[in-house]
Amino acid sequence: NEMEKSMLSPQARQKFDELVALLAEERYGPNGPPIDTTFAEMEQFGHQAGRMLGRAIDEHLTAQQADEHFQEASCPTCGASGQSNAAQKTRPLQTLDGKIPLVEPAFHCPTCSRDFFPSAERLGD
C-alpha cells in the first residue's frame, strides 16, 4: 500500500523489507514456501508476525516514553515532587495484538511517605 510505504523513510523501508525477508526465510527457508503451502497458511504466518511486531513496538515505545517523560512526577495525593524509586512495577497490558509486559516507573513522596506510579493515570489516554 502506497500510504503505508510513505510512513517510512527510505532507510526504514529498506530495513523493514529486510526484516520481512528474514522472517520469511526463518519460517520457510531460503527457497520460500513449498509448493503445497496454501495462501491461507502464508497469510496466517504474516498475521502472526505482524502481531509479534506490533507487540514489540508497543513494548519499545512504552519503555522509551517512561525513560523520557517519567524522570520526575508530582504526588497524586499532596502534589509534592516525588523522588524516582529504583523499584518498578511490571504488569500485563492487553493491546490490540496481545498482552505485553508494561514496566512502570515508581516514585516515592517524601511528604506523604507513599509510593506511586504516574503512568497508571495515563494508560487510558
Side-chain angles (χ1 to χ4, degrees):
N1 180 317
E2 288 303 314
M3 186 163 69
E4 289 172 340
K5 287 182 180 180
S6 69
M7 289 176 45
L8 301 174
S9 68
Q11 180 186 12
R13 183 67 200 182
Q14 180 181 347
K15 295 281 188 187
F16 181 82
D17 291 342
E18 290 170 5
L19 175 61
V20 168
L22 179 65
L23 291 172
E25 184 173 339
E26 181 73 20
R27 173 65 176 97
Y28 291 108
N31 297 324
I35 191 70
D36 61 343
T37 305
T38 66
F39 179 77
E41 291 169 326
M42 290 184 271
E43 184 181 29
Q44 181 64 32
F45 171 69
H47 183 71
Q48 289 171 339
R51 288 179 56 147
M52 184 172 67
L53 179 61
R55 289 189 307 269
I57 288 172
D58 292 343
E59 283 185 61
H60 176 84
L61 292 176
T62 55
Q64 188 178 37
Q65 185 183 52
D67 288 346
E68 181 68 25
H69 299 288
F70 290 115
Q71 299 302 316
E72 56 185 58
S74 298
C75 175
T77 302
C78 72
S81 181
Q83 299 169 345
S84 182
N85 187 339
Q88 293 182 334
K89 178 176 151 185
T90 301
R91 63 188 172 106
L93 176 66
Q94 182 65 45
T95 72
L96 293 174
D97 296 310
K99 288 185 181 177
I100 65 166
L102 179 67
V103 178
E104 298 177 286
F107 290 84
H108 179 76
C109 177
T111 305
C112 295
S113 262
R114 68 166 279 198
D115 292 331
F116 61 96
F117 301 90
S119 58
E121 300 164 9
R122 298 184 35 129
L123 281 178
D125 296 346

